Amino acid sequence: MRILVISDIHANLTALEAVLQDSGPVDATWCLGDLVGYGPDPNLVIEYLRDLANLTCILGNHDAAIVRRMDFDAFNGDARISLTWAESVLTADSLDFLRTLPRQADMNGVVTLAHGSPRDPTWEYVLNTFTARLNFKHFQTPFCFIGHTHIQSLFTLDGASDRVSAAMTRVGEAVPLVPRVIANPGSVGQPRDRDPRAAYAIFDSHQNTWEARRVPYDIAQVQQRIRQANLPARHALRLEEGW
Ligand code: ZN
C-alpha cells in the first residue's frame, strides 16, 4: 500500500490541498493530529480530511484543547488566541469529528501512530536521539510515526548496539525503514525548519520505504485569510519564513 502520512495541518487548507495534489493517488491517508490551531480554515480542513478514503486520524494537542481534553493554559499566548478563535467558529460537526479521534493508533501491528510521542502522545516533543531512545520502550511495533515538532526526521534504533541514530532524510528519496524506527513527516501547514514548503511523507508498506516530500503552496493567500480573521500577525509571518 502507498500511504500518505501527514501531520500538523493547523487549519491551513491551501497547504493541505497542495499536498493531496502533489502526493498523487494513495491507498490510505494517516494523519498524525493538529488539524486546528494557528491557521484560518479549521472547518474546511476537517471537512476535507473527513472525506478522504481510508483515513486514519489521531488527536493532536491543539485538537485536544478544542475538545477540552487539555487546558488552554498549556499553550502560549498567540496559540491560545488562535484556539479561542477556532472554538468560536468550529461547527458542531467539526467538533464531533475531533471528539472521535483517538490519542494513538496501531496499524496492523506494524506502525504505531502518535502525535507527540508514544510515551506521551499529545505532549512530548521528540527532537533528538536522547528523547527518541527513551521512547522506543513505549511502543511494540517495528515503526512509529509521530508529528508535533513540525520537523521532518527519522530516528533508527540499532537493536544490536542499542544505539539511536538520526538520519537526514533527503526530500524525494525513498529510504528503507529498518526496524526499529521513529519517523516524522514534518508539518503540512506550519513547517518549522526554515523551509516554508508544506511537508509530508509517503510510506510504502510493501517495500517498507519512507519518502520525505515538500511542495510549495500559495502562502500569501493563507496569510491574507489569517489577517482577515484577526489572528496573530506572527502566525502569518512565520509561514513565509518556515518557523
Ligand atoms: Zn502542531
Side-chain angles (χ1 to χ4, degrees), residues 17 32 39 46 78 82 85 90 117 143 205 209 219 230 234:
E17 283 176 328
L32 309 176
I46 291 170
D78 279 346
S82 295
W85 175 82
L90 278 170
S117 75
F143 310 125
S205 63
T209 57
I219 292 173
N230 281 320
R234 56 185 259 128

Side-chain angles (χ1 to χ4, degrees), residues 36-198:
V36 301
Y38 300 120
D41 319 308
N43 285 308
L44 289 171
V45 161
I46 291 170
E47 281 167 31
Y48 217 92
L49 269 184
R50 212 171 34 187
D51 288 346
L52 295 178
N54 294 323
L55 172 75
T56 301
C57 188
I58 59 169
L59 190 79
N61 52 314
H62 288 253
D63 311 319
I66 284 286
V67 297
R68 297 296 179 184
R69 289 169 72 178
M70 184 180 279
D71 210 51
F72 276 23
D73 290 343
F75 293 81
N76 71 49
D78 279 346
R80 212 159 51 220
I81 290 169
S82 295
L83 282 171
T84 307
W85 175 82
E87 195 180 36
S88 73
V89 298
L90 278 170
T91 64
D93 276 358
S94 295
L95 289 168
D96 281 347
F97 179 76
L98 294 180
R99 282 190 196 103
T100 65
L101 302 180
R103 281 181 192 271
Q104 240 172 320
D106 181 309
M107 310 309 287
N108 298 318
V110 178
V111 184
T112 300
L113 308 182
H115 179 64
S117 75
R119 181 166 73 162
D120 185 356
T122 34
W123 201 246
E124 186 175 38
Y125 290 88
V126 180
L127 283 160
N128 51 46
T129 52
F130 178 78
T131 316
R133 193 170 187 282
L134 295 172
N135 269 283
F136 277 104
K137 296 187 196 81
H138 292 266
F139 66 99
Q140 309 305 322
T141 50
F143 310 125
C144 176
F145 299 164
I146 57 168
H148 197 40
T149 63
H150 298 207
I151 292 169
Q152 292 185 321
S153 46
L154 198 63
F155 299 100
T156 301
L157 171 70
D158 177 347
S161 67
D162 197 30
R163 297 198 115 182
V164 173
S165 56
M168 293 299 289
T169 47
R170 217 178 303 161
V171 170
E173 186 186 3
V175 295
L177 295 185
V178 180
R180 298 173 75 220
V181 166
I182 297 175
N184 188 324
S187 166
V188 171
Q190 195 194 77
R192 291 183 188 161
D193 56 1
R194 295 279 167 187
D195 178 346
R197 295 176 299 167

